[in-house]
Amino acid sequence: MTKPPLGSTMRLVRPAPNVLGFYDGRVDRVRIWSDEPNWLDDGAYTLGICTYAIVDGSQALVYDTHISLAHARFIRRTLGEMGVTSIRVVLSHWHDDHIAGNEVFQDCEIIANSLTASALERGRAEIEGGNPPIKPLVLPNRIFDNSLSLRVGAIAIELRQVEIHSHDGTVLLMPDAGLLLAGDTLEDSITYVSEPERLEEHLIDLERMSGWGFDRILPNHGSFETIKAGGYDRSFITATEAYVRKLLACRQDPDLAKQDLKTFGADMFSTTAVEYFAPYEPVHRQNVEAVVAAKRR
């Protein structure tokens, strides 16, 4: 395994008008933090991660601050070179790989829902002492509940709170563009189960989200080629729902729980909704173990 400098393999894409994507990871035989288990490589870089900025004129809205300060500086430098002088940040949820670059934007408005703000406050010691550490952890300074309407120049933005993947999700809707920035509520190849005891509630919000008006979806974890080409279609939600329901079925079906991801998700991968990506095999095994264990409590 090689270990290039943080941020050196970042790729800038333009998946939609006024939208920049800052993609890193899914580089064969490359880790960027350590050969030992760590959240940055195993939960983000190996799987591929993309954060976004919506830009209109001198204004920008950054959706998640990426996996390191070097990545965040790349984002800020890119926006500055485009003539951006006013930046706001939105946090999709509280997990490390979405808030690691907050310090670079500490002079900006950092927006999060109240559940995200509370989770970051509770988890501060663990986050600042993690591997790698995020220290100092810069907290959001503008809090909302349920929804918030914003504008970036002439572009209308709607932030909507959802409970999918984590209890504190915030997705970003660009209604005029028919575009949803989904954070970790949707993930290709499969959702990363972080709160297994709440999967039934996640299904409810996936159904609610499917009723909104949009045509394309940009997740934070997914295929570089698909994101670069403009994102995923609405079948992404259907595939995620199917995977979650099948996970829940593992509680009653020991044979199903033993299947590897390629077998377990064969129906999903036979469509164009999501693609099989081998590094998600350990994620799937972790998901199954967590969901089955949650039943026993």
Side-chain angles (χ1 to χ4, degrees):
M1 290 280 184
T2 60
K3 194 174 80 169
L6 289 170
S8 62
T9 56
M10 185 93 91
R11 287 161 278 177
L12 176 64
V13 296
R14 298 175 182 268
N18 300 99
V19 178
L20 305 180
F22 298 90
Y23 192 102
D24 208 1
R26 291 201 182 194
V27 180
D28 190 38
R29 299 184 59 79
V30 171
R31 294 170 71 86
I32 57 170
W33 182 252
S34 169
D35 289 337
E36 302 301 317
N38 68 88
W39 65 258
L40 195 159
D41 285 305
D42 301 310
Y45 188 85
T46 299
L47 304 177
I49 183 165
C50 192
T51 69
Y52 300 94
I54 300 163
V55 182
D56 191 22
S58 64
Q59 297 184 28
L61 186 70
V62 172
Y63 184 63
D64 287 338
T65 61
H66 231 291
I67 56 177
S68 77
L69 297 180
H71 288 78
R73 292 187 191 107
F74 181 101
I75 295 170
R76 188 146 192 181
R77 183 170 63 250
T78 300
L79 295 176
E81 290 169 353
M82 295 176 63
V84 170
T85 57
S86 174
I87 299 175
R88 287 173 289 175
V89 171
V90 171
L91 304 180
S92 68
H93 63 301
W94 73 281
H95 291 164
D96 292 16
D97 52 323
H98 301 264
I99 52 91
N102 282 11
E103 185 183 354
V104 172
F105 298 95
Q106 63 183 323
D107 60 329
C108 303
E109 187 173 72
I110 301 178
I111 304 167
N113 72 57
S114 60
L115 295 179
T116 297
S118 297
L120 289 170
E121 189 63 68
R122 287 194 307 273
R124 184 200 290 264
E126 184 177 353
I127 292 167
E128 291 191 335
N131 179 30
I134 301 171
K135 188 173 185 178
L137 172 62
V138 174
L139 298 173
N141 50 39
R142 181 178 179 184
I143 311 301
F144 75 96
D145 286 302
N146 300 319
S147 63
L148 179 65
S149 296
L150 302 169
R151 298 193 78 83
V152 180
I155 301 170
I157 303 292
E158 296 179 15
L159 305 182
R160 297 184 181 178
Q161 189 172 332
V162 294
E163 183 180 353
I164 307 168
H165 171 70
S166 63
H167 68 286
D168 66 314
T170 292
V171 296
L172 187 156
L173 190 65
M174 298 174 65
D176 295 337
L179 184 64
L180 179 75
L181 273 58
D184 280 6
T185 63
L186 302 167
E187 187 166 346
D188 179 15
S189 300
I190 53 168
T191 189
Y192 199 122
V193 175
S194 62
E195 299 176 7
E197 69 284 353
R198 300 288 296 173
L199 276 185
E200 288 87 351
E201 285 75 16
H202 297 185
L203 278 172
I204 291 169
D205 266 11
L206 281 165
E207 180 65 25
R208 179 167 69 94
M209 195 164 72
S210 71
W212 300 345
F214 56 85
D215 303 308
R216 306 299 297 175
I217 302 166
L218 293 172
N220 280 43
H221 300 283
S223 157
F224 171 75
E225 291 76 17
T226 302
I227 290 172
K228 180 181 179 181
Y232 296 76
D233 63 29
R234 296 176 62 88
S235 63
F236 198 4
I237 301 176
T238 305
T240 302
E241 290 175 326
Y243 177 74
V244 171
R245 288 194 179 95
K246 205 165 185 180
L247 275 180
L248 290 169
C250 290
R251 293 174 174 172
Q252 286 77 41
D253 189 340
D255 291 332
L256 185 63
K258 294 174 185 175
Q259 292 181 358
D260 63 15
L261 175 59
K262 198 165 193 177
T263 305
F264 189 92
D267 290 346
M268 294 189 311
F269 303 137
S270 68
T271 72
T272 59
V274 290
E275 299 176 0
Y276 174 75
F277 185 52
Y280 271 92
E281 286 284 0
V283 175
H284 171 65
R285 181 48 39 203
Q286 178 182 309
N287 285 349
V288 171
E289 291 171 358
V291 169
V292 171
K295 179 194 174 185
R296 301 193 193 106
R297 291 177 191 150

